[in-house]
Amino acid sequence: NSYLRLSGVHRHYGEGATKVRVLDQADLVVESGELVALVAPSGAGKSTLLHLCGLLESPQEGEVEIVGNKTSKLSDRGRTQLRRNTVGYVYQFHHLLPEFTALENVTMPQLIAGKSPAEANVRAMELLDILGVAPRATHRPAELSGGEQQRVAIARAAANHPRVILADEPTGNLDPGTSDLVFAALQGLIRTEGAAALIATHNHDLAKRADRIVTIKDGKVVPHSL
Ligand code: ADP
Ligand code: ADP
């Protein structure tokens, strides 16, 4: 199952003398349960690629398919709806709501999506458990360590069963030991849930633990080895 597929994607910014070509005939396929690490220098186009995969931006040419849905002809509204139903996003900084507990931070997106509080609680506890932070369910973000905060943020991103998980430097703010722990938790979650994951990271040790490493070269997404 190819949950994420980019074919012949072209994306540039600006025109004429200021034109910056970021992606040109770029292809990428990520399968269910697969974790792909994206390693490239600053300015190479990692954020652009993640935004295209997350349907926040559209390519000038080519197709982005999420769980078999072609997105090039979707309206903005269709795109937003597909993003909400299929994509989970993990940021470098956790963005948890400070006045709510870990559990509430993970139930909230589910309640917004129309689940009952009981269902949302069961799912939230399941995720906190997979990520090893169930004992912290009733704590507020400020009472959690950086690694715990980030694992709760991953649980929140996964709350509505996204088929595609995108992460931009998810361990960029953590010390090496904690980064390991958080990455392992994320990897376990992706396996358990069968999501397709694309993770941009500067951490080569972590990238090596992914199923594949890719980089961006001459506008293409190409295999990379470290
Ligand atoms: P990375 O995430 O790898 O640092 P980006 O995807 O942010 O790279 O940027 C890739 C290139 O595209 C850079 O040269 C950047 O300056 C340019 N770029 C990104 N977004 C825009 C934008 N909205 N307008 C103009 N140029 C942009
Ligand atoms: P800020 O940078 O102000 O904290 P956000 O928290 O909204 O803004 O997003 C952080 C970055 O992640 C932004 O560059 C945003 O465009 C990107 N982003 C947010 N959601 C998604 C998504 N679903 N797919 C891809 N990129 C996303």
Side-chain angles (χ1 to χ4, degrees):
N1 278 347
S2 311
Y3 282 166
L4 175 63
R5 180 186 294 270
L6 274 65
S7 331
V9 162
H10 183 94
R11 178 73 194 160
H12 65 260
Y13 296 104
E15 293 298 338
T18 61
K19 182 162 167 174
V20 181
R21 184 199 66 168
V22 183
L23 296 171
D24 189 17
Q25 286 293 322
D27 301 316
L28 173 68
V29 178
V30 187
E31 305 286 334
S32 164
E34 192 182 26
L35 192 163
V36 176
L38 172 62
V39 177
S42 193
K46 296 184 297 296
S47 300
T48 300
L49 183 61
L50 287 171
H51 290 178
L52 288 167
C53 293
L55 310 182
L56 286 185
E57 278 187 53
S58 302
Q60 279 110 357
E61 284 172 42
E63 187 62 80
V64 177
E65 272 176 74
I66 310 264
V67 203
N69 294 282
K70 291 192 164 62
T71 61
S72 59
K73 298 199 171 61
L74 284 180
S75 61
D76 283 351
R77 198 171 152 193
R79 217 188 310 279
T80 300
Q81 198 154 20
L82 185 63
R83 178 171 62 236
R84 286 201 184 130
N85 292 332
T86 57
V87 178
Y89 201 88
V90 181
Y91 309 92
Q92 180 171 357
F93 299 100
H94 61 78
H95 292 298
L96 295 170
L97 298 170
E99 65 274 32
F100 293 97
T101 66
L103 182 70
E104 288 164 343
N105 268 281
V106 185
T107 52
M108 195 154 317
Q110 303 179 72
L111 299 176
I112 292 168
K115 270 204 218 163
S116 74
E119 266 182 305
N121 265 303
V122 169
R123 171 66 174 161
M125 282 312 298
E126 173 190 45
L127 284 166
L128 293 175
D129 192 42
I130 292 172
L131 292 160
V133 281
R136 294 284 176 272
T138 59
H139 293 248
R140 297 218 171 108
E143 300 162 347
L144 303 175
S145 71
E148 288 169 343
Q149 289 170 347
Q150 200 57 334
R151 283 182 282 159
V152 174
I154 293 168
R156 182 186 54 181
N160 288 324
H161 299 277
R163 303 290 75 197
V164 173
I165 293 180
L166 304 170
D168 199 349
E169 293 288 347
T171 64
N173 196 30
L174 304 173
D175 63 62
T178 307
S179 295
D180 265 25
L181 191 76
V182 168
F183 190 85
L186 179 56
Q187 197 157 26
L189 176 80
I190 287 155
R191 299 268 186 269
T192 309
E193 301 266 307
L198 181 64
I199 300 182
T201 180
H202 283 113
N203 186 325
H204 288 192
D205 292 331
L206 295 186
K208 284 178 188 164
R209 307 214 311 241
D211 298 306
R212 276 191 294 139
I213 307 172
V214 298
T215 189
I216 300 168
K217 200 164 189 178
D218 298 327
K220 313 246 185 302
V221 181
V222 296
H224 191 55
S225 52
L226 292 169

